[in-house]
Amino acid sequence: MTGPRRAPHERGAPMSERFAEPWRAALARLDDADAEGAVEAGAWALVLHAFDALEARPEVERARMREALAGALAEVEEPLATELGRAALAALNGDAPTHWPAELMRPSPRRLLKLLRGELDGFAAARVAGWLAAHPDERATLEALLEAGASARSEPLPVAAASSVRMRDPEEGQLLGALDALGLEAVLFREPAPRRLALYAAEPTAVRLEAEGVTTEEIAPGYWLGRLAPHLRGALAVKVRVGEREAAWSLRVGPREKR
């Protein structure tokens, strides 16, 4: 006699089956989604691709997602969404994505668990899956999390040695973009007021940001946090520095100003 069938999210189910439900939910969202919503849904193709599960989905599903993505990419403007959408479309076409914007830092156990449970949106899930695809040895960590019954409760992020700075959890904010050349991510925190901007570097080195209307509040190796003046809206031109390298960057910190 066989036992009860395990749901995809339960311990013991093959890893490739754990994302069947988020994939079906993404397909269901396509009918009412705008361009960015369709790309967010399509980003789940990258998650399945990372776990060698995409080709197992029925061709009718993959064809529907391909068609929706191709149309949405002609309209979406946000750079990160565009890059993830193009990578997902490549995977759906049976090609290896040439540029997959993955997370720069090792995802926390809580974030990995959220991926397994399908609790991340498509963009976040695809970026975590991209990191795992680049670090295949870490995939064993996912099963270890389930075996240990890891908790999804929030835990403080580690702080740098000899530093009293407590990093803001990037999951609590809005990812504004990644600057691959410097190994840097920017996250906007709208609450509690006033708004704050944080930079997270892939390496534990000095990070700085200079911009009009931005006041530095916290600095630690690989981390910078600053307060935004209330009048800042739309695109914010900043100069960032990581170690000895620097670059100009444009970040959208609020809605476009009404004309």
Side-chain angles (χ1 to χ4, degrees):
M1 179 181 297
T2 59
R5 179 179 176 84
R6 293 180 184 269
H9 65 277
E10 291 180 352
R11 186 173 62 189
M15 188 66 69
S16 60
E17 293 182 11
R18 296 187 184 279
F19 306 107
E21 290 183 11
W23 168 259
R24 286 192 290 266
L27 285 168
R29 293 198 299 274
L30 291 178
D31 290 336
D32 300 321
D34 59 12
E36 186 167 332
V39 176
E40 180 273 327
W44 276 101
L46 287 172
V47 180
L48 272 66
H49 175 76
F51 290 92
D52 302 318
L54 185 57
E55 291 186 1
R57 304 310 306 170
E59 171 57 25
V60 64
E61 294 181 359
R62 288 180 283 141
R64 185 184 179 204
M65 191 65 84
R66 273 197 301 269
E67 181 180 1
L69 259 181
L73 282 171
E75 301 179 30
V76 74
E77 297 180 356
E78 206 281 321
L80 183 61
T82 299
E83 292 178 359
L84 285 169
R86 288 173 178 168
L89 189 58
L92 286 163
N93 286 329
D95 301 323
T98 56
H99 181 59
W100 184 340
E103 293 205 344
L104 298 176
M105 297 178 289
R106 187 183 190 279
S108 67
R110 180 161 60 95
R111 194 161 176 80
L112 291 174
L113 197 60
K114 283 187 174 183
L115 172 67
L116 288 174
R117 292 174 171 173
E119 296 175 355
L120 299 176
D121 66 33
F123 293 140
R127 286 172 58 78
V128 173
W131 190 92
L132 290 167
H135 302 81
D137 292 344
E138 293 287 341
R139 285 175 54 170
T141 303
L142 299 182
E143 291 291 358
L145 282 173
L146 295 177
E147 291 296 329
S151 170
R153 66 183 176 85
S154 177
E155 296 181 357
L157 292 180
V159 296
S163 171
S164 60
V165 174
R166 179 67 63 181
M167 290 186 182
R168 291 286 301 266
D169 186 342
E171 289 187 49
E172 297 174 354
Q174 173 192 351
L175 178 67
L176 297 183
L179 193 61
D180 292 342
L182 299 187
L184 202 62
E185 290 183 346
V187 176
L188 177 66
F189 297 95
R190 299 183 184 278
E191 296 179 353
R195 294 170 301 156
R196 287 174 170 82
L197 177 66
L199 300 180
Y200 301 84
E203 300 295 334
T205 189
V207 179
R208 299 289 186 274
L209 179 145
E210 296 178 7
E212 183 178 355
V214 180
T215 303
T216 297
E217 289 190 331
E218 302 279 9
I219 296 176
Y223 177 70
W224 175 94
L225 181 74
R227 183 176 68 253
L228 302 183
H231 70 273
L232 293 178
R233 292 289 186 274
L236 175 66
V238 305
K239 183 171 70 174
V240 293
R241 186 179 183 90
V242 178
E244 298 300 319
R245 298 171 297 160
E246 64 179 44
W249 201 3
S250 179
L251 298 170
R252 185 160 295 281
V253 297
R256 295 179 183 272
E257 295 182 349
K258 296 182 179 180
R259 296 183 181 275

